[in-house]
Amino acid sequence: MSFIVAATANAHKVEEYKKLLGDIDVEIKSLADFPDMPEIEENGSTFKENAEIKALAASKFTGAPAFADDSGLEVDALDKRPGIYSSRYATTDPERIAKLLSELDGCGNRRARFVCAISIAFNGEVLETFEGTVEGNITLAPRGEGGFGYDPVFQPDGYDQTFGELPQEVKNQISHRARAFANAVDFVENELAAIGDVF
Ligand code: IMP
């Protein structure tokens, strides 16, 4: 097989993907390699639907096997918001964090989880979709400079540090994306070997 497309232009995600898929012998391209691809409208109502929409669109455009994730933060006290709207919740990461902390101001229930759905598509169809989650709490203030998005205010269960403070290697072992990938990796290894015969 010549390559597989990660249907994202987010450089942080591409780096995580490359590390997560490090053992698989295939070149990973991203949407940064396909600047002419039209913007994909994420109009699904679940993480799974959005991942499938993106993987299918990227596979159709590039003619290659493509995978996409859709992920976000569910906060129990906010009825699982921002959820699929996590990136649209505010314009920048500091603004998203400030808005979240302000919505939770004085709230004792800070239970939250990151959710990730990963979908793999080829030849005009979705082949499979996998999910992963990581449970934790929203901190009272941001801590740490690492990661991206809501990482500085998310403290995973079993750790004293936030995702912004934990080394990337640790996050890559326990994150929602890592868990979804752990489920997806066998499939990618086995099925894409078969796809490789035709692609
Ligand atoms: P999307 O999956 O590209 O639609 O983006 C989901 C949004 O959820 C991101 O823009 C982040 O704000 C947030 N998000 C998803 N995964 C993570 C993560 O691992 N750490 C921090 N924030 C995340």
Side-chain angles (χ1 to χ4, degrees):
M1 184 186 326
S2 28
F3 61 88
I4 179 167
V5 178
T8 180
N10 178 329
H12 286 283
K13 280 193 182 178
V14 176
E15 276 317 299
E16 278 192 30
Y17 282 144
K18 286 189 173 163
K19 289 194 182 111
L20 291 166
L21 284 178
D23 292 341
I24 297 181
D25 186 22
V26 62
E27 184 191 354
I28 300 171
K29 296 198 178 193
S30 81
L31 294 190
D33 298 304
F34 298 93
D36 296 338
M37 174 153 165
E39 183 105 1
I40 306 169
E41 200 191 340
E42 287 180 41
N43 53 11
S45 56
T46 60
F47 293 113
K48 180 174 186 283
E49 279 177 17
N50 280 337
E52 292 179 349
I53 288 166
K54 287 187 274 188
L56 206 48
S59 177
K60 282 183 178 165
F61 185 84
T62 61
F67 64 95
D69 83 8
D70 196 53
S71 54
L73 182 68
E74 289 183 348
V75 181
D76 285 352
L78 302 179
D79 289 329
K80 302 207 171 168
R81 284 189 301 110
I84 59 167
Y85 299 104
S86 292
S87 59
R88 293 166 267 183
Y89 185 57
T91 315
T92 65
D93 282 343
E95 285 166 345
R96 289 180 192 102
I97 286 174
K99 184 174 172 185
L100 179 66
L101 292 180
S102 133
E103 281 211 79
L104 288 177
D105 193 23
C107 180
N109 176 9
R110 307 190 72 92
R111 228 33 223 159
R113 72 204 51 77
F114 278 121
V115 181
C116 175
I118 294 181
S119 180
I120 301 152
F122 185 52
N123 240 350
E125 61 173 336
V126 172
L127 302 179
E128 199 65 73
T129 303
F130 302 89
E131 290 198 344
T133 59
V134 55
E135 297 279 339
N137 286 289
I138 303 301
T139 54
L140 294 171
R143 298 196 319 254
E145 305 289 324
F148 71 101
Y150 300 89
D151 280 346
V153 289
F154 184 82
Q155 184 172 324
D157 286 352
Y159 293 83
D160 295 329
Q161 298 117 305
T162 66
F163 267 172
E165 295 172 307
L166 284 167
Q168 172 105 36
E169 306 82 72
V170 176
K171 179 182 174 188
N172 278 345
Q173 278 164 20
I174 62 168
S175 79
H176 47 314
R177 226 177 325 282
R179 288 178 175 158
F181 253 92
N183 295 329
V185 121
D186 285 348
F187 177 86
V188 172
E189 271 179 323
N190 296 331
E191 295 297 315
L192 292 191
I195 288 172
D197 293 339
V198 292
F199 174 64

